[in-house]
Amino acid sequence: VGGFVYYVNDHVGGSDGLLRTISFYSLAIPKYIEYRLHMMLDSPDEVWDQLHRETSQVGLEKIMELQGFYIKSGQMCAANIGNAFPPVWQETMSPLQDECPTRPFHVVQSIIESEYGKDLNEVFSSVEETLIG
């Protein structure tokens, strides 16, 4: 049990991170199986188009719910990094490029200081509190 607790704390982000991971995979795993099934069935393009539309939309909703790392992953999809995503996925994830929810500056500051173990001014020579993007 001790090893599991250590792993969850250090590699998954504690109990909150574990719950977020479970939430993500509760969507991702069934969708992965559905995609694999359509590959085995050699489904026609119309079926794939509908699957991409539906899955990208529920994926975007899950990303907006979970935020953080998941938003960054969705942004990579929207930008088609690695040339791995169909156009409908890129289009669906495009709001993540410039319509993401923001966090108050004090929250961002505390995260940076916690991660670096230093005062914000020791990490960066200057920081603007006003959002620019």
Side-chain angles (χ1 to χ4, degrees), residues 105 108-128:
F105 180 76
V108 174
Q109 180 178 359
S110 68
I111 291 170
I112 293 170
E113 290 177 347
S114 171
E115 290 295 319
Y116 283 93
K118 298 178 180 179
D119 185 74
L120 185 65
N121 295 323
E122 294 176 49
V123 178
F124 299 104
S125 60
S126 68
V127 177
E128 296 293 328

Side-chain angles (χ1 to χ4, degrees), residues 10-11 18 22 33 35 37 43-44 55 57 61 69-70 73 77 89 92-93 111 120 126:
D10 286 359
H11 299 286
L18 179 60
I22 291 169
I33 292 169
Y35 270 82
L37 175 65
S43 295
T55 305
Q57 186 58 49
E61 292 166 9
F69 161 81
Y70 300 96
S73 298
C77 174
W89 275 85
T92 303
M93 298 297 158
I111 291 170
L120 185 65
S126 68

Side-chain angles (χ1 to χ4, degrees), residues 24-51:
F24 171 77
Y25 282 109
S26 69
L27 171 67
I29 291 172
K31 285 299 182 180
Y32 172 78
I33 292 169
E34 187 175 359
Y35 270 82
R36 294 297 295 187
L37 175 65
H38 285 292
M39 288 175 72
M40 289 183 346
L41 296 174
D42 198 25
S43 295
D45 289 345
E46 300 80 35
V47 171
W48 283 103
D49 292 344
Q50 182 65 26
L51 182 60

Side-chain angles (χ1 to χ4, degrees), residues 19-28 54-71 89 93 96:
L19 291 174
R20 293 171 74 231
T21 300
I22 291 169
S23 178
F24 171 77
Y25 282 109
S26 69
L27 171 67
E54 291 172 0
T55 305
S56 63
Q57 186 58 49
V58 295
L60 177 62
E61 292 166 9
K62 181 60 73 174
I63 286 169
M64 293 302 287
E65 172 193 331
L66 298 175
Q67 299 188 358
F69 161 81
Y70 300 96
I71 287 179
W89 275 85
M93 298 297 158
L96 298 173

